[in-house]
Amino acid sequence: MSVMQHWHRETDSPQTGAASSEESKDTSAAREHPATVWWGFALRRAGRTVGSLFVIVSVAFVVVRLSAGDPVRQALGPTAPPSLVAERRVQLGLDHSLWRQYTDYLAGLLHGDLGTSVLTGQPVADVVAGRLPQSLLLAACAVVVTLLVAIPVGLTTAVLTREGRNRGLELGFNGASGLTTAVPEFLLATGLVIVFGLWWPVLPVAGSDTTASYVLPVIALAAPSSALIARVARVEGLKVLGRDYMRTARSKRLPTTTLYLRHALPNMLTAVLTLAGTVAAGMVAATALVEQVFNWPGLGYALIQAITGRDYNIVGGIALVYAALIILINLFVDILLALLDRRTTLLER
C-alpha cells in the first residue's frame, strides 16, 4: 500500500500541480496586508496618471508650436504689420529655441500658467477658470441623469425579459436603445433646437441663465449614453439573474426590493460602472459641440471660438484641461471599482 501511495504522489499530473500553485498564489495575495495592497495600487495608478499627463502635455506643446505656419501671423491676420507680429512673438516667448519654449512651458504649468492668448493677451488660465465650472456642471448633470435612467431601465428590462419572456419588449428595447446610441450628441442637440426653438418653443435653446436652460443640453448629452449603458445593464442583469444564488433567493420568496436591489444590483454594478467611466470621459469631450449648438458659455464653446480665431494657445490650453479631466475621471472610476471589489487591485499584480 505504501508503494502505491508513493507512486500516486510521484505521478500527479502537471495540471494539478499548476492549479495548486495558482491557488496558493491567490491565497497568499488574498491574505496580504490590505495596506500593502492599497499602497501598491495607489503607486501604480499614480505612475500611470503622471505618465499620461506628461505625454499629453508634450503632445499639446508640439501640436501648438509645430502647427502649419506662424501661429501669431495666423491669429493676427495677413494685414497685421510685421512689427506687431514680432512684438507679440517676443511677448509669447516664441523667439526662443524650441527646447527653451518647451522647458518654459513645463515650468509654467507647474505654476498654473497655461500660456497667453495670441489675440487678446489674456492668460489662458483665466479663460479656463471662467468657463470650466459651466462645463463641469453641465457634464455632471448629464452623468447623474444617465445613471439614474440607464441602470433602473436596464435592470427592469432584464427582469421582464429573462428566460425569453416578453419577446416584444426585448425587441423594442434593443431597437430603441440601438437607434438612440447611434445618434451623435451634436445631431441630437440640433434636432432639439429645431423642435423646441421653432416648432414648440417651450424651453430655452441658448444660454444658461435659468434652470430650464439645462434641460435640452443635458438631454442631448445623456440620451445616447443612457441608451448604451442601459443595454449593458440589461445584459449584465440577465447574467446575474441566471446565477444559482439568485435562483435560491427566488425560491425563498424574498421581497422584490430585497431580491433585485440587494442581491442583483450590486453584482451588476462593476461592469456598468466601468463602462460609465468611459462614457463620462467621452461626455466631457462631447460638451464642446453641444455647448456650441446651445450657445452655452462653457469651456467647449471657448474652444470652438479659439479654433475659429486660430488662437492656438487657448486651443492647446483647453485641450490639455480636457485631457486631464478625462484622465482624472478614469482614475476616479478605478478607485471606485477597487472600493467596491477589492479583487480588482489584486488582478493587476
Side-chain angles (χ1 to χ4, degrees):
M1 179 66 69
S2 60
V3 175
M4 294 298 294
Q5 291 175 347
H6 176 75
W7 182 82
H8 281 298
R9 287 195 297 269
E10 293 295 329
T11 57
D12 281 343
S13 63
Q15 291 82 358
T16 303
S20 300
S21 176
E22 292 297 330
E23 289 178 1
S24 63
K25 290 180 181 179
D26 293 342
T27 303
S28 62
R31 292 178 178 177
E32 189 173 352
H33 195 277
T36 304
V37 175
W38 277 105
W39 272 112
F41 174 78
L43 290 175
R44 289 193 300 272
R45 281 293 178 266
R48 293 179 188 178
T49 301
V50 172
S52 299
L53 287 174
F54 178 76
V55 171
I56 290 172
V57 166
S58 301
V59 171
F61 172 83
V62 170
V63 169
V64 172
R65 294 302 188 279
L66 300 184
S67 57
D70 185 351
V72 177
R73 170 59 69 183
Q74 292 185 15
L76 298 180
T79 60
S83 58
L84 177 60
V85 174
E87 180 183 356
R88 186 57 57 87
R89 286 180 60 84
V90 172
Q91 292 175 353
L92 298 175
L94 298 178
D95 56 326
H96 300 304
S97 65
L98 193 62
W99 176 251
R100 171 71 180 279
Q101 294 179 43
Y102 181 63
T103 55
D104 290 344
Y105 182 67
L106 293 179
L109 289 178
L110 294 177
H111 294 85
D113 183 8
L114 296 175
T116 305
S117 170
V118 177
L119 290 175
T120 64
Q122 182 182 11
V124 178
D126 292 347
V127 177
V128 172
R131 301 289 188 123
L132 183 59
Q134 289 288 342
S135 294
L136 289 180
L137 184 58
L138 179 61
C141 292
V143 170
V144 171
V145 170
T146 296
L147 295 178
L148 291 179
V149 172
I151 294 178
V153 169
L155 179 58
T156 302
T157 308
V159 172
L160 296 177
T161 59
R162 64 185 176 89
E163 299 177 353
R165 302 175 182 176
N166 295 317
R167 185 63 177 172
L169 175 61
E170 179 182 356
L171 293 176
F173 173 80
N174 288 334
S177 60
L179 179 62
T180 306
T181 303
V183 178
E185 289 87 353
F186 76 90
L187 185 59
L188 179 58
T190 303
L192 291 174
V193 169
I194 294 174
V195 172
F196 292 98
L198 298 178
W199 300 349
W200 192 31
V202 295
L203 289 172
V205 296
S208 61
D209 299 330
T210 62
T211 304
S213 303
Y214 287 79
V215 175
L216 296 182
V218 168
I219 291 176
L221 287 171
S225 302
S226 299
L228 177 61
I229 295 179
R231 289 171 67 90
V232 175
R234 176 183 173 271
V235 172
E236 292 299 320
L238 290 175
K239 292 179 182 179
V240 171
L241 294 175
R243 291 175 181 167
D244 292 337
Y245 67 85
M246 289 300 299
R247 297 191 185 97
T248 303
R250 283 194 294 268
S251 66
K252 293 181 179 180
R253 300 185 181 277
L254 295 177
T256 302
T257 54
T258 302
L259 182 64
Y260 296 125
L261 298 183
R262 184 176 177 180
H263 294 282
L265 181 60
N267 289 286
M268 59 177 279
L269 278 182
T270 301
V272 173
L273 289 179
T274 301
L275 177 63
T278 304
V279 169
M283 195 179 294
V284 169
T287 55
L289 294 176
V290 172
E291 288 177 4
Q292 181 69 17
V293 173
F294 290 103
N295 198 24
W296 189 269
L299 205 60
Y301 184 81
L303 175 63
I304 300 298
Q305 297 298 314
I307 293 174
T308 304
R310 298 181 178 181
D311 196 337
Y312 293 110
N313 279 359
I314 290 184
V315 173
I318 294 179
L320 180 60
V321 171
Y322 270 124
L325 286 175
I326 292 173
I327 291 176
L328 292 177
I329 289 173
N330 290 326
L331 177 62
F332 172 76
V333 172
D334 288 340
I335 294 174
L336 181 60
L337 291 176
L339 292 174
L340 293 176
D341 187 356
R342 182 174 170 269
R343 291 174 297 177
T344 58
T345 63
L346 297 175
L347 294 177
E348 297 180 352
R349 299 174 62 82

